[in-house]
Amino acid sequence: MTFSQKNIISIKDFSKKDIKYILRVAERMEPIARSKETSNLLYGKILGMLFYEPSTRTKLSFETGMKRLGGNVIGFTEAAGSSMTKGENLADTARMVGEYADSIVIRHEMEGAARYVSDLVDVPVINAGDGAGQHPTQTLLDLYTIKRIFGKIKNLNIALIGDLKYGRTVHSLAYALALFNVKMSFVSPKELKMPDEIVHDLNKIDVVARETENIHDVLDKVDVLYVTRIQKERFPDPEEYQKIKGAYLINSELLKGTDLIVMHPLPRVDEIAYDVDSTPNSKYFEQAFYGVPVRMALLKSII
Ligand code: NCD
């Protein structure tokens, strides 16, 4: 696809070629993201941020990226500070910000919210997470991280572990990895398995992921352990969360003797022990940094 003025709603809209293109542009953005070079590519442009759900990295890396490219940001990062509290609906807010800004980034608890907004406004809309749906920009930075560390994505052995039911990062990532001929495993408690719809979609293109509850089934085989947080806020019943929380703990003892890398979209709660941070396995902070060049690549390409 040509990216100019395109909405970024679901990773399913990306071909392998599209993904590779963004990763290549991101590489060129890296020196600017690291402040080794400066740029005015988006001078005079404004990014509107509608964050109805909490965010740290996604919001700040979009903001950083926009500013590193000479642009500006407006918006709110807490529905409480907007006219939502006066009863304004999402459609009215989005239409208005669509008139103010050159592109909109939205995070919302409702699946489909970004697609809905993209139908209402004339500027390109970027999905920064829609409920348990998709998180395409996170996936692009995840892939960029893997590519930077291994020099390739193809033929790697990658396990997604944790909350595969409600975690939007793993939903998007599974679709993208399916395009790269990787060996995929899904590790989760049975209550939090990858949704059937996604498993079927992957099977349709002859991608079969190994599913297990036991991390030891995959530990000695994987190159990448992609760990996720149990998505407490999406459990209809808090008691269910209490039963499942702490299902997996990745600590340095578990990783001893392996050279796999540990990734995590962050925030972590209790699924990765702090003693992992100083091991060579841990890559999640590096991964968080790559959010900046990757989001710069997207902003540059669509605005
Ligand atoms: C993720 C999200 O919001 O889906 N965070 C992020 O964007 N890095 C993961 C999570 O909240 O667990």
Side-chain angles (χ1 to χ4, degrees):
M1 70 175 144
T2 49
F3 280 94
S4 174
Q5 298 300 309
K6 275 275 152 53
N7 299 310
I8 308 294
I9 307 293
S10 165
I11 203 74
K12 290 200 262 180
D13 302 333
F14 282 67
S15 67
K16 186 172 171 182
K17 209 168 142 207
D18 294 333
I19 292 175
K20 284 175 138 182
Y21 173 79
I22 293 296
L23 303 192
R24 269 201 311 277
V25 179
E27 232 170 276
R28 297 210 315 268
M29 295 293 121
E30 226 189 282
I32 308 169
R34 293 190 189 277
S35 200
K36 296 211 168 89
E37 287 172 24
T38 57
S39 169
N40 262 329
L41 267 171
L42 293 182
Y43 178 77
K45 300 294 183 189
I46 292 176
L47 182 64
M49 315 262 276
L50 307 182
F51 277 75
Y52 291 89
E53 271 196 338
S55 173
T56 303
R57 277 148 292 270
T58 305
K59 170 175 73 81
L60 292 179
S61 61
F62 264 115
E63 251 183 75
T64 306
M66 195 63 192
K67 289 181 177 177
R68 290 269 189 223
L69 291 172
N72 248 308
V73 292
I74 59 164
F76 55 84
T77 50
E78 247 185 303
S82 77
S83 283
M84 273 275 284
T85 50
K86 300 182 191 167
E88 184 165 60
N89 66 21
L90 173 60
D92 287 1
T93 308
R95 274 196 194 98
M96 183 205 70
V97 177
E99 297 294 328
Y100 295 167
D102 298 290
S103 174
I104 290 179
V105 181
I106 177 168
R107 170 172 285 188
H108 199 281
E109 67 276 8
M110 197 175 69
E111 225 172 297
R115 181 88 64 196
Y116 170 71
V117 164
S118 73
D119 288 337
L120 300 173
V121 300
D122 293 328
V123 295
V125 172
I126 303 174
N127 182 7
D130 59 330
Q134 284 261 326
H135 195 348
T137 69
Q138 177 70 42
T139 290
L140 292 166
L141 83 87
D142 295 340
L143 296 174
Y144 186 77
T145 306
I146 295 170
K147 180 89 199 301
R148 275 299 255 101
I149 292 170
F150 292 95
K152 63 169 190 178
I153 299 169
K154 179 167 94 177
N155 295 335
L156 292 173
N157 200 322
I158 301 178
L160 313 184
I161 170 166
D163 186 347
L164 308 186
K165 179 177 182 183
Y166 296 115
R168 53 196 174 199
T169 66
V170 281
H171 296 165
S172 294
L173 186 56
Y175 280 110
L177 290 176
L179 304 176
F180 284 87
N181 201 26
V182 303
K183 274 212 189 67
M184 243 190 294
S185 322
F186 298 153
V187 185
S188 71
K190 59 181 180 316
E191 296 85 351
L192 298 178
K193 279 174 64 171
M194 187 64 83
D196 285 344
E197 186 197 333
I198 298 180
V199 172
H200 288 152
D201 283 349
L202 300 187
N203 290 350
K204 262 192 271 169
I205 53 167
D206 292 328
V207 175
V208 181
R210 171 175 192 178
E211 294 187 84
T212 175
E213 287 177 53
N214 189 348
I215 186 173
H216 292 283
D217 288 345
V218 301
L219 206 59
D220 60 343
K221 299 177 191 70
V222 293
D223 303 298
V224 180
L225 201 55
Y226 189 97
V227 187
T228 61
R229 171 179 74 88
I230 310 286
Q231 308 280 299
K232 181 181 180 184
E233 68 276 28
R234 310 218 190 279
F235 277 67
D237 177 359
E239 264 180 39
E240 278 304 303
Y241 171 73
Q242 289 306 325
K243 272 193 242 157
I244 289 171
K245 75 169 194 199
Y248 300 103
L249 173 65
I250 313 299
N251 56 26
S252 62
E253 183 61 33
L254 187 78
L255 298 173
K256 224 176 240 159
T258 72
D259 54 7
L260 61 85
I261 67 160
V262 180
M263 293 175 63
H264 192 306
L266 302 177
R268 74 173 138 183
V269 181
D270 52 10
E271 57 282 352
I272 301 180
Y274 293 111
D275 68 2
V276 176
D277 297 1
S278 55
T279 66
N281 307 89
S282 95
K283 298 293 177 200
Y284 28 91
F285 294 119
E286 185 176 339
Q287 178 187 358
F289 165 74
Y290 291 138
V292 180
V294 168
R295 291 184 169 117
M296 288 167 75
L298 281 168
L299 292 169
K300 170 205 175 296
S301 304
I302 70 168
I303 304 177

